[in-house]
Amino acid sequence: QVRLVESGGGSVQAGGSLRLSCVMSGYSVRLYTMAWFRQTPGKEREGVSVINIDGTTRHADSTRGRFTIIRDREKNTLYLQMNDLEPEDSGVYYCAAGAPYLSRPLETVQYDYWGLGTQVAVSS
């Protein structure tokens, strides 16, 4: 059974950095499309960053250039390095795993497994 557990969230001031982690158990991160999503109250969950099985990445327009998604095969862990954080980046961040070669990798319906999330709060 696949299990995803996120950590690394917290409170930070605007301009600061955080690194989120997602440990996968039950399968290998290298065999799935892996992604980070985020959600704020009253809004739909939105895709932030995706890494495909071939190592190519994709980012939402709002995070491109500031966020980096990293997959560590040895640790079976997915990371999200977030730099130059803005208050608009606040929310609960979720790790997700889906089949390879997703047609719409930034959409929630494409993913089969989800973690429970980790909270990020960015103050101005």
Side-chain angles (χ1 to χ4, degrees), residues 61-111:
D61 290 343
S62 60
T63 64
R64 191 174 296 116
R66 300 187 297 121
F67 290 10
T68 304
I69 187 168
I70 303 161
R71 178 178 56 205
D72 187 323
R73 297 179 179 184
E74 291 186 359
K75 295 182 179 179
N76 214 32
T77 299
L78 182 73
Y79 299 99
L80 185 67
Q81 178 66 44
M82 305 187 293
N83 298 328
D84 194 20
L85 283 162
E86 303 170 352
E88 292 74 21
D89 295 318
S90 298
V92 179
Y93 281 70
Y94 298 90
C95 174
Y101 308 116
L102 298 176
S103 58
R104 301 184 301 277
L106 290 176
E107 296 185 15
T108 58
V109 295
Q110 299 273 291
Y111 291 85

Side-chain angles (χ1 to χ4, degrees), residues 12-124:
V12 65
Q13 289 190 329
S17 297
L18 282 174
R19 192 182 201 194
L20 306 183
S21 300
C22 170
V23 178
M24 175 181 256
S25 58
Y27 219 66
S28 173
V29 293
R30 67 183 178 89
L31 297 178
Y32 280 98
T33 298
M34 301 296 298
W36 289 96
F37 287 76
R38 68 185 178 195
Q39 189 169 21
T40 54
K43 293 187 177 181
E44 292 186 357
R45 195 171 297 187
E46 62 173 347
V48 173
S49 299
V50 178
I51 185 164
N52 299 301
I53 60 171
D54 62 0
T56 56
T57 61
R58 181 172 174 177
H59 301 274
D61 290 343
S62 60
T63 64
R64 191 174 296 116
R66 300 187 297 121
F67 290 10
T68 304
I69 187 168
I70 303 161
R71 178 178 56 205
D72 187 323
R73 297 179 179 184
E74 291 186 359
K75 295 182 179 179
N76 214 32
T77 299
L78 182 73
Y79 299 99
L80 185 67
Q81 178 66 44
M82 305 187 293
N83 298 328
D84 194 20
L85 283 162
E86 303 170 352
E88 292 74 21
D89 295 318
S90 298
V92 179
Y93 281 70
Y94 298 90
C95 174
Y101 308 116
L102 298 176
S103 58
R104 301 184 301 277
L106 290 176
E107 296 185 15
T108 58
V109 295
Q110 299 273 291
Y111 291 85
D112 303 308
Y113 303 102
W114 293 87
L116 296 180
T118 185
Q119 179 80 47
V120 171
V122 184
S123 59
S124 58

